[in-house]
Amino acid sequence: MTAPQSDEAALTFYRRTFALAVVVILGILLYRVLEPFLAPLAWAVVLAFLMHPLQTRLTRLCRQRAGLAAGVLTVLTFVVFVGPLTVVGGAFASQAAMLVASLQKLVTDLKIGSVRDLTQLPAAQDVLVWLEQHLAVSADQLRGWIASGAERLL
């Protein structure tokens, strides 16, 4: 090969390598932009697949008015899926409130005023001993983590 041909081949190689690197970087950046939308899009595809036969039947029942059938199907889907989720969410919130109330009563009954008081409970002492033996975590470290977590929570 002569010198001009080898220079041309090297230039072509670098151009292609640069173009490939740019495409890969842009592909990665595009994925990162679209990533939050992938799960909702997947659910939309699943729901569309499941609802298509019903859409076809509703379109026939609505005298070939696809827009009306889509509106009815959208409302029905919302009622069928969101209705039960609302009921379950309400039940969860009510049980969480009962749990908090029972924990507050337990704290009052056991006269727990600080994290240090928790370490005096027999069950907590067993857990602390196990943690020290198996994970090399001391009670003071655990107290510090609980206190900093509670501060962040509040």
Side-chain angles (χ1 to χ4, degrees):
M1 241 195 230
T2 63
Q5 287 178 340
S6 66
D7 289 343
E8 185 67 32
L11 187 58
T12 302
F13 171 76
Y14 289 124
R15 282 183 184 160
R16 288 183 181 166
T17 304
F18 178 74
L20 183 63
V22 167
V23 167
V24 167
I25 290 170
L26 288 176
I28 291 170
L29 292 174
L30 178 64
Y31 173 77
R32 292 194 61 190
V33 168
L34 295 178
E35 187 177 16
F37 304 105
L38 293 179
L41 284 173
W43 277 109
V45 167
V46 169
L47 283 175
F49 178 77
L50 293 176
M51 298 295 175
H52 185 268
L54 187 56
Q55 169 69 22
T56 306
R57 286 187 197 140
L58 279 175
T59 302
R60 261 189 264 126
L61 287 174
C62 294
R63 300 182 191 147
Q64 301 303 320
R65 290 187 288 190
L68 178 62
V72 169
L73 186 59
T74 300
V75 170
L76 283 175
T77 302
F78 185 76
V79 168
V80 167
F81 286 112
V82 174
L85 286 175
T86 303
V87 171
V88 169
F92 177 77
S94 134
Q95 288 182 356
M98 288 190 308
L99 176 65
V100 167
S102 67
L103 285 175
Q104 287 175 340
K105 184 179 180 305
L106 180 67
V107 166
T108 304
D109 291 347
L110 294 175
K111 297 181 177 95
I112 297 173
S114 69
V115 176
R116 188 172 301 279
D117 294 339
L118 283 174
T119 60
Q120 303 307 316
L121 298 174
Q125 288 177 349
D126 295 340
V127 169
L128 290 173
V129 167
W130 186 89
L131 284 173
E132 285 183 27
Q133 290 174 349
H134 293 88
L135 301 177
V137 175
S138 69
D140 292 330
Q141 286 176 318
L142 193 59
R143 262 189 238 114
W145 293 339
I146 291 172
S148 67
E151 286 174 2
R152 280 191 223 136
L153 185 65
L154 298 176

